[in-house]
Amino acid sequence: VGARGYNSGQGAAYIFVLIGTTWSQQSILTASDGVSSDDQFGNSVSISGDYAIVGAPYNDDVGTNSGSAYIFKRSGDAWSEQAKLTAGGDAASGDSFGSSVSISGDYAIVGASRNDDGGTDSGSAYIFTRNVTTGVWSEQQKLIASDRQAGDRFGQSAISGDYAIVGAWQKSGGGAAYIFKRNVDTWSQQKIVGLN
């Protein structure tokens, strides 16, 4: 559970575990470098097996509000930070990378809904993959909508197995969602779902 306002906006995420029929708090996750009062770590959270990912869209590592995401790994009852993710060479101020996060097995997706590749706030999403030998997470591909336009806010993301879905909630016509499929190391857009 994310708590982006924790500690004056520095943020936190809470891990709960089911024991019998009772859910109990197991851990509180915070960023190892969370020194800013408005990073909003915990704005978006996701968990898969022994891994959790937490978005901090207002982190300033690559410019004001460029954003970041943190991956944590469980060992026994303890969770520890394993990686900090930022956008590749195109990260920029105001992108809000980490505004949406999702993780599934060895893959994670991070939305940057205010990225400007297709115009102001057109949005993008980034796929990361974990090397099973070294445990290192690295960017695999940047996803963009085929019909991207300024203001779409593409980036509300979820991933499961070989499929990812990215929402563009301000797309004209009532919003749209884009489905991508992985083939080996390449993700390709398969379908656009919209209200019209």
Side-chain angles (χ1 to χ4, degrees):
V1 182
R4 65 184 182 184
Y6 174 83
N7 196 17
S8 301
Q10 186 172 321
Y14 293 76
I15 300 282
F16 292 83
V17 61
L18 180 64
I19 301 173
T21 58
T22 303
W23 287 90
S24 301
Q25 183 177 308
Q26 186 181 57
S27 185
I28 302 176
L29 309 180
T30 57
S32 60
D33 61 348
V35 294
S36 173
S37 63
D38 60 355
D39 280 357
Q40 293 204 7
F41 174 96
N43 181 78
S44 182
V45 296
S46 177
I47 193 169
S48 175
D50 293 332
Y51 290 88
I53 185 169
V54 182
Y58 299 121
N59 181 263
D60 301 330
D61 268 17
V62 200
T64 303
N65 297 341
S66 53
S68 60
Y70 298 77
I71 292 182
F72 294 82
K73 182 180 180 182
R74 183 180 69 87
S75 178
D77 293 334
W79 290 81
S80 59
E81 185 180 313
Q82 188 179 51
K84 180 178 183 178
L85 309 179
T86 57
D90 65 342
S93 295
D95 279 356
S96 294
F97 175 95
S99 55
S100 177
V101 296
S102 181
I103 192 167
S104 175
D106 296 325
Y107 291 88
I109 187 168
V110 182
S113 61
R114 290 189 178 273
N115 180 267
D116 300 330
D117 275 11
T120 303
D121 294 346
S122 53
S124 61
Y126 297 77
I127 300 280
F128 292 82
T129 183
R130 183 178 68 90
N131 183 303
V132 295
T133 303
T134 64
V136 173
W137 290 84
S138 58
E139 184 182 319
Q140 186 177 56
Q141 188 174 331
K142 179 179 181 177
L143 306 182
I144 52 176
S146 58
D147 61 347
R148 61 192 182 278
Q149 293 178 318
D152 283 354
R153 299 287 295 274
F154 174 94
Q156 297 300 114
S157 309
I159 192 168
S160 178
D162 293 333
Y163 290 89
I165 186 167
V166 185
W169 64 279
Q170 287 194 342
K171 184 78 174 172
S172 60
Y178 299 75
I179 296 173
F180 294 82
K181 183 180 182 183
R182 183 178 67 89
N183 181 10
V184 189
D185 293 331
T186 303
W187 294 80
S188 302
Q189 184 180 306
Q190 273 206 324
K191 187 174 180 64
I192 305 174
V193 182
L195 296 176
N196 296 327

